[in-house]
Amino acid sequence: MPHTKRRRLVTTAVAVSLGATALAACGSEDSKAESGPVSLTYWTWTPGMDKVVDLWNKGPGKKDQITVTVKKQASGDTLVTKILTAHKAKKAPDLVQAEYQALPTLVSNDALADISKEAGAVKGKFADGVWQQTTLGTDAVYAIPQDIGPMMFYYREDLFKKYKLKVPTTWDQFAETARALKKAAPDKDLTTFSANDSGLFAGLAQQAGAKWWTTSGDKWKVAIDDAATQKVAKFWGGLVKEGAIDNQPMYTPSWNKALNTGKQIAWVSAVWAPGTLTTAAPDTKGKWAMAPLPQWSASENVTGSWGGSSTAVTTDSQHQAAAAKFAAWLNTDHDALNALAKDGGIYPASTSAQLSGAFSNPPEYFSNQADFYPQAAKIANTTAPSAWGPNVNVAYATFNDAFGTAAKDKSDFAAALAKMQDATVADMKKQGFEVSQ
C-alpha cells in the first residue's frame, strides 16, 4: 500500500489509543475565516435535502455569503467508494454524508478534515455515545451527527395481552417469553433471527459492550469474537436451535406476512421501525407498542444503534471553515432539523430536536402510544459507544454469509462468529494494516 496511507493509518491507531488532539493537520490552514462569496457542494442521499438546504441558502448562508449545492448520491459502500475515488484525484466535494461505520475508512484515507476548532462547540447537543462516533475516540471531530437509530423492542400489545406475556426487560426474560409463547401458541414465534442485515447484530453486540475495532499501541486490534459478542451470538443461536424463535430473514414477503397476520408478534428494531411496519404490516396499525431494549443485567440501561449518519467536511475542500459552519447549522438548527424530519424522514441525533417539532406527536402507526417519542429520546440518550474500523464492509459481508448459513441450518453461531473475525483480520492484513488479536 502507498506509504502515505500506511502512515495515516498508524497515526489514526495511535491517536485513538492515546486520545491525541488530532490525527493529522487536515487542512487547518484552509480553515481560516472566509471573505467574499463561497460555493460549497454537498453529497448526500437524504430525501428532500435540497429543500432543507434552501433554508440555509435563503437565510444564514445568504447572510454569510455561503451557498450550498446538493448533489444526490447512492448510500452505503457505493458512496464511500465514490468519495475515495474523488479524493484520490483531489476532487472530492466540500461536504459528504457518511454513515458512522464508514468514518474510520474515510479518516484513515485522509479524506475527512478535523473540524474540532470550527464545530467542536456543538458537542453538548448530542448524547455522548453518539458524539463519540464522530471523534473516533480522539479530540478531533470528523463529522457532525445527523441522524441516529437507537434500538428498542416492538411488540403486539394485543397479542401479549391475549397470551398473558410480560414485556421482557432482560434478555433472559426475552428467552422465557419466546418459550412461553411457543407453549401457548405453537404456530407463532416471538420474533426471528435475521442474518440479512448485519447492522442489527452489530447493534446488539454494541449494547452488550462489544468493541470490534480498537487499537493497541500502533496496531489495530480486531475483537469481533470478543466475550460480549460471543454472548450475543450464543444467545440467539441457542434460541434458533431449540426452535424458540424463527430463523427466517427480514424484509421478505414471508416476513411481512408473518408480522401482518400475527404469526410473529415482536421485533427487535430501531426508532425508524414505524415506517417499515407501515409497509410490512399495514393491517396491524395501532396494535403495536414500543419499549426499551431488554438488558443483559437488570441493573443496566443501555441500547445499541442500528443505522445513522453524519455530515463531514473533506480535506479537499478549499473552504473548510464555511463547510463546517453549514454542517453544524444543518444538524443543530431548529428549523433545519424540523425540515430534515419532515422532508427527509430522519430521526435527528440532536437531543433537543427529538422532543420538538415533528416529534411532538407519535408516528401515525403508533397513535395508540402517546409517549412514543419522549420514550425514544430517553432510550437514545443511553446509546453505547461504538468501535468501528476501516473494513466494516468485509465484516458485514462475512456476517451475512456465515450467519445466514448458521441460521438456516440451526448450526453453531460461535463458529460463524469466528469466520467473521478471521475474514476481517485477513482482509486488514492484506490491505497492509498492522493488526494484533
Side-chain angles (χ1 to χ4, degrees), residues 197-277:
D197 193 327
S198 41
L200 169 57
F201 184 75
L204 291 171
Q206 179 187 352
Q207 185 214 19
K211 298 287 189 295
W212 285 0
W213 285 270
T214 55
T215 54
S216 178
D218 62 352
K219 297 181 180 180
W220 282 96
K221 182 177 182 180
V222 181
I224 291 175
D225 62 348
D226 64 5
T229 311
Q230 286 186 22
K231 177 172 63 176
V232 174
K234 291 176 182 177
F235 174 81
W236 288 93
L239 291 178
V240 167
K241 188 173 183 179
E242 72 175 86
I245 61 173
D246 199 2
N247 62 344
Q248 300 302 309
M250 303 177 291
Y251 313 136
T252 65
S254 177
W255 180 73
N256 291 347
K257 184 178 180 180
L259 293 179
N260 200 39
T261 60
K263 187 179 185 303
Q264 284 186 26
I265 69 170
W267 184 28
V268 174
S269 189
V271 71
W272 42 258
T276 301
L277 290 171

Side-chain angles (χ1 to χ4, degrees), residues 140-162:
V141 176
Y142 294 104
I144 306 298
Q146 180 167 298
D147 61 302
I148 55 174
M151 296 177 67
M152 43 202 67
F153 179 67
Y154 293 86
Y155 63 100
R156 280 284 299 273
E157 196 170 25
D158 58 331
L159 295 181
F160 262 58
K161 186 176 296 184
K162 177 180 179 180

Side-chain angles (χ1 to χ4, degrees), residues 154-185:
Y154 293 86
Y155 63 100
R156 280 284 299 273
E157 196 170 25
D158 58 331
L159 295 181
F160 262 58
K161 186 176 296 184
K162 177 180 179 180
Y163 296 112
K164 299 179 181 178
L165 303 175
K166 292 184 178 180
V167 179
T169 58
T170 67
W171 287 114
D172 284 343
Q173 291 176 8
F174 178 92
E176 290 305 316
T177 300
R179 296 180 185 117
L181 176 64
K182 270 296 178 188
K183 186 176 180 179

